[in-house]
Amino acid sequence: MFKIEFDVKIHEDGIPYIDLPEDYENNAEDRLFVLDISRYLFEDILNKRRNILDDRTTFQMENAINLLRQLSEEVAKIIYEQMRNLGETEFILNNYYHIQVQTIEERDLLPLKDIQFTNKIFDRREGLKVFVTDEENVYILTNGIENENWKLIECHEDETN
């Protein structure tokens, strides 16, 4: 989970503002958060006050909402591609496991596409490895991607992801 730390400070003219720490690392996920929250707030205001807003203000707010939606979609595409690339890199590195779930049932419910684990995205494909924590076992997909194709890999306690 991402966390944005900030302070609310007061300008010399008495207006509050958001102050980010000096060591803040600007990342796409924070931008997506800000864009989506801004769009949500604009939509909420417009929905609740449309009846008292004049046509020009309503038009401007609708334009702002559309712009925020477009920007958000572009940032989301960038994040998605980054997560896919990280998943592909992880897969190529042939780590001890790629995804962690708690139960066999969770393993079997993994979708065919866009399996998100930490900040990575995987698809079901041969060679995908899943660590099932309840059993402390790792399973690999071999000879297909259906649930009957999960094969147990011997687990060694000294190996880590």
Side-chain angles (χ1 to χ4, degrees):
M1 178 166 293
F2 293 94
K3 182 177 179 183
I4 301 174
E5 293 187 21
F6 63 92
D7 287 322
V8 177
K9 295 190 175 176
I10 306 293
H11 279 291
E12 293 171 2
D13 57 4
I15 304 294
Y17 70 96
I18 300 298
D19 184 51
L20 297 171
E22 285 185 27
D23 63 346
Y24 170 75
E25 292 184 27
N26 196 344
N27 62 60
E29 292 83 2
D30 290 352
R31 291 174 187 213
L32 181 62
F33 175 77
V34 169
L35 290 167
D36 280 350
I37 289 295
S38 299
R39 180 183 47 81
Y40 168 79
L41 292 172
F42 269 71
E43 286 174 338
D44 188 54
I45 291 168
L46 185 59
N47 289 335
K48 289 179 179 174
R49 303 211 170 142
R50 184 182 294 270
N51 59 338
I52 62 170
L53 297 174
D54 61 49
D55 289 344
R56 183 167 186 257
T57 302
T58 299
F59 178 77
Q60 294 296 339
M61 288 191 72
E62 287 171 343
N63 281 342
I65 290 166
N66 288 331
L67 176 61
L68 289 167
R69 182 177 291 113
Q70 289 173 347
L71 292 171
S72 178
E73 288 171 0
E74 290 303 314
V75 172
K77 288 176 188 175
I78 291 167
I79 293 170
Y80 179 82
E81 286 305 314
Q82 288 173 343
M83 293 173 74
R84 275 231 164 256
N85 290 336
L86 287 171
E88 186 62 26
T89 300
E90 181 104 353
F91 194 85
I92 290 169
L93 292 175
N94 200 26
N95 288 339
Y96 189 59
Y97 66 87
H98 306 112
I99 300 168
Q100 180 177 317
V101 297
Q102 188 167 346
T103 66
I104 289 290
E105 291 78 19
E106 286 181 40
R107 181 204 68 188
D108 291 348
L109 289 173
L110 290 172
L112 296 178
K113 205 169 158 35
D114 293 338
I115 304 166
Q116 184 180 349
F117 180 68
T118 60
N119 61 341
K120 302 167 196 77
I121 294 177
F122 300 91
D123 292 335
R124 272 195 188 222
R125 67 189 214 195
E126 290 185 20
L128 181 69
K129 298 175 196 169
V130 176
F131 178 62
V132 179
T133 59
D134 280 359
E135 302 181 350
E136 295 187 1
N137 285 323
V138 176
Y139 294 86
I140 186 170
L141 279 172
T142 57
N143 300 318
I145 61 171
E146 301 302 321
N147 286 335
E148 61 266 12
N149 300 107
W150 289 112
K151 303 297 180 219
L152 178 65
I153 298 176
E154 277 196 43
C155 188
H156 304 285
E157 290 185 26
D158 59 328
E159 292 192 55
T160 59
N161 187 18

